[in-house]
Amino acid sequence: MGSRSSPSSIDPNDVYSYALRAAYLSYLLQPRKHRTVQVPSPQQIQRPSTSINDLMKDFNLVREPKSTKLPRDFMGEFEKRLRGVVMGKEKLPGYNEATIKRSIGSFYNTFTEPSRKKRFAQDRKVEELLLIMLTSATKELRKGTTPDDEGTKFMVERHVALFLRLISSTLRDHDWTRDRPELANNLAVWEKKLLAHDDDLTAGSIRSSGSRGATIEVAIPLSNQVKDMPLVQSVARIFGVTESQAQSDINKGMSSWTEKAALADLKSYQNFLSLNSRKTLNSDDFDLEEAYDAWKKAEIPVLSQMMLKIMQSHPELAKSTTGLQASHQNPHLNGAPESGYLSMNRNFSENNEENTGYVIDQPVDVSGFNLRDDNPDYHKDEKTPFTFIPPDPRAYFRYMLKQTLTKDLQEQARPASESGLDFSFNTIISKQSLDLLSDISERWRIPHVSRSVLFLDSIREKFVEQEIDLDTLDNAFTIVNDPVHPSRKGSSPFFTAPIPDKSKWTISDFALSRQLLSVLHDALLRDLYEVMQHCYESKPPTAGPILYILDTHIYSDELFSKSKDDVEGFSEQLKEGLAQKAAEAYQGFLEKDVPSNQDEWEFYHIIQLGKSILKLSERIQKRYKKNPEIMGVNPLTILVTHILPAYEQDACDMATRIINVAVSKSMEIDIQDGFELYKEFVNVRGIHHQILPSIPFAFSVEDLLEEFVWRWIRITDSKIVDLTDQAILQDQFRVRSEANHQDSSDDERHSVSVIDLFRIFNETINQISTLEWNDHLQHAKFMTALSRTIGKGLARYCEVVELKFSKEMDRLSPEQEAAAGRTRQERWMQLAKDAWNNKDRVEPFQFFPESFVKLNNVEFATYQLDRLEKTINVDGCAEIIQKNSPPIAQRQRKTSNYVFTIKIVEAEDLKACDINGLSDPYVVLGDEYQKRLAKTRIIYGNLNPRWDETVDLTTQGPLNIIATVWDWDTLGDHDCVGRTSIKLDPSHFSDYMPREYWLDLDTQGRLLLRVSMEGERDDIQFYFGKAFRTLKRTERDMTRTITDKLSAYISHCLSRGTLRNLLSKGITMSSVTTLFARNRPQSTQPGVTQAELSRALSPLFAYFDDNFAIMKQTLTDAAMIKVMTRLWKEVLNTIEALLLPPLSDKPSQQRPLNQQELDVVFKWLQLLFDFFHAVDEESGIAHGVSLDVLKSPKYHEIKSLNFFYFESTDNLIRISEGMASATALRHANAKNRLSAPAHIGEEHSFGGAMGMMGMTSTRRTKSIMLSRNLGTMKKAKEEKRKEAQAETNDDMILRILRMRPEATTFLKDRSKQKERLAAVAAAEMIVRQSLTAGGGRMAANLPRY
């Protein structure tokens, strides 16, 4: 019964006719409605009791397939319903009567017996339940009645019918009827047989009407009017026929369109099916014989059900006219042992006098029906053997589908109130149309698979003709593949279940399905191509629905065979189309963003063009983020591949032209424009590398725009000094706290100028960092240049701040200002008066808080610079530059600037300029043009001062330095102590090693200078090291200036005069002999008490407390510790000068202390040690200087004097020689060191030829590179401290021997020996460095130290 007619050969009138017949037949077979009529009150209606007898006969006819058994879980749910009836909770009508409750209660008691429940659990037969109910109802209703009471029989049937209805309701509530259609039909038929006269179970079949008679319910006869035929109305609507015309057509055909003709069609169809005729589907319509057998097996029970429905509607058609025997269907009637069911059936049959002869097909074999050939309704020609089935059902049904879709789509366009159709099930076909199609497909015997395939093919045709959209197409596939989806309301028998195994399809359905998928695929690809042509527009149509349908319904279907060549061909075609669209989009950007006149070009136009491209790229990337590729084509890649290279080349040409035009016109392009252009180029390059990693960028952005960064750096460098001065000018140097200074934190104790300065530095660095410069070498060079600018700004800041600080610290006290107005005679009288009054109390210096804030600023700048050094990654930048620099042998040293570091160490035997026989010396360095270069602090009351101050001088060639020692006077001009000079020639320091010079003054005495040189390199580490050293020197000089204000009183309190005053009570004339003793003297008179010792130092402690209280209000904790540390060094230097003369090769006039004086000095040292350590007596926590600082090498040297101070001269000489030999041996063994220990430099302090020649030492102790950050500075300082503690030398012994006149000769010989050894070591070092720098074979043969 496949499609054997082409669609063009089908007459629409024929399709209309057959559709009308099916719709009219559906009307004839519909359940009849009933109405209540009143009749006269006759005698009680006599009703023959045949229902129960018929029911028992049906039991014998029922087969026992699985589908007729009750579900396994049925009884549990049914028992709940039974209990609900007994308890009066059942909601269905008719179950609240007392009699039905008793009957069901009796059934419940009987059934719940364990033996019955166990047997029922095995068989699960509904017949057993009915027999138990029949017995229970009969027993309950016959109580109190006579055996011949006919009303009891009717009530039994009624109760059994209610029982059947309760079973059916339970099955429907749990959706068990779907898998057991035969059982459901049995229950319905049995219930109807118990209602032979249309009984109403809820009210009874006959209602009393009193004297007027009674009321009965009768079936309403059919009107045969179209207005009562919904399906006929749908046919008329679909074919555009009026209802009157449809009525006319029905009137003409109703004589032949009968239920009997429909039954004859089914019988004929069944015969053709059994004969494998072409009037139905046959084995030729299937690819596999198994598929045909499966279809045929499923078709037979469906035909039986359809015939059963007709016979139920018209029972007279079911009467046997040829003596049809039930035994033909039930083997148990042919001599088989009788079961309990048959036995009871026979008993009921014997009691029944009348037999209606009704039989129920469950399923019944209708082959016994004899539809005579002489029946006029049965005569059909050979071409159309059926009344209701068209000659080509498949072709007719396809036409019907197409026509239905057309009309329903038209109705959808109308308002819902006008169309009157229900589209709640889906948005394609109305519920009315689906009901019609379902009935037609069932009557025409269209398989479910064919229905779905033909439906999709009709949808395909509508989509290709652009009558439906993608949503409708998707909905159609969804309905077919998932007809019972929970998102849809209700269901339709037209789409019953998902499509089964495709191997069981008919050949026509299989071929048509493949064809429609292929056609849809081509149509969807065409739509996809058109949609993708708009993908670069601002609001393009989306390709998502098309791709979804392709992936979900086309490619996922196993019937679709996708050709690789076809897909690749489409991809190539799509690529070409997108490439053309990308070129058009770029051309549009050019016309919109770039002027046609080249003279009007600016960086702004390049930036705008780039922004337009980036905006489009980002939009495309975001749009296709989840699905970057469409059918193997990436729209973003196509766009970038065709737009970016063109933009890159055009942008490079435009930028080059703009720059060249600006140069030719001597104009400068705004730096920010260059920076903005760079950022835009970087963004474009980022997308380029992301999408096109294998294709290099068209040009070097960094090389093109590098000059803008250098110009910005040069401008910043030219402004940094002025910016620094402005920051200082606007600063009042006050603590940034509104509260008391004592309550302010350390973070608030620096002023705004240093904050502003580093804000400038950070903004400068961030300006480069935010560019994210991609050339690391260029970036490192930028940072190097900026580090020079930063160092320049910090040097200026330190210079100005230190100058302000010095002016504040050098101001005259009120007493000094008063003394300045006195005459010379008045000044002498005041000095004599002070001496007579023994005035030794020195008032604390009145420090300004602003001075301490300046020191805090320098300290804060040091830490901020260290953070900046880490932010820049100075070492990383230096490493990058070093890797990209030529080898050392190929480099040419082109140093034009040299940095000389001059350390003014000490002076010796200066001229006394004051009336007390002392001087207050300080040193001023100047050049030959009398320009002051540096100035040291003042050392009060000392002819052998030690400054240890350092200054850096930058020069491009030889420089003559004049050093002048001045004596500071409070009143009047300062006196010149002496002058000397030295020539600093870079050629003499080509080895970059430090040298020491003892320079004789033109009056008397000499000055020790330590000179080293470094080439000022264009190196970031060098610039940072120089900046750090500038800050640390400024901080040290400011700290020394503060401590110098206190050092005079320290020298006054820790002096030999204080010793004499303390010991004057206990000293006799015999103690004078100790001045000339050679051995340790015997103990003198009892020593000084601890209270006297403390009292002697109490003025000093009080002085410290007064000044520390002032400092504590403003200085940070770290600065306070540094001041205290410096004061501790002053204390150690003062005590050392009290015990020993300075190191020299000449005898000293200083006398040694006796034992009692030495003990007092060491006790003073301990008292001062405890004072500076400041341990809290209660908590034990130290709040002062740490022990590591207090116990410095100088402290240990002073403590060791107790072992050598009173040794004999001979023993000291032997000890000194032994130490010298051990030191020489240690240096000989340490071949891997490139420089000698630190004390070698001090061994040159004996003057002579070595000092005058300025021979080099072997160790470079302090260089700029070792000061490039706080970490390297701290590390170098720690190494120096450890080395000083590890190295032992005889300097202290030589200083003791200076106080022994008999050791004069040894001192001279020892000095010459050290000079020779130092000269040899220096010469070897110079030769080694020269050979190493020159390279060659000689350098390679040198031993590695």
Side-chain angles (χ1 to χ4, degrees), residues 79 129 203 393 395 431 433 461 471 526 574 747 961 1064 1224 1226 1323:
E79 286 182 17
L129 298 180
K431 184 179 183 302
S433 298
E461 183 177 351
D471 290 338
R526 287 193 298 270
L574 182 58
D747 292 337
I961 299 297
S1064 60
R1226 186 167 57 253

Side-chain angles (χ1 to χ4, degrees), residues 778-794:
Q778 291 181 1
H779 181 267
K781 291 181 178 180
F782 295 157
M783 293 297 107
T784 300
L786 288 178
S787 65
R788 181 175 62 243
T789 301
I790 292 171
K792 183 178 179 181
L794 286 175

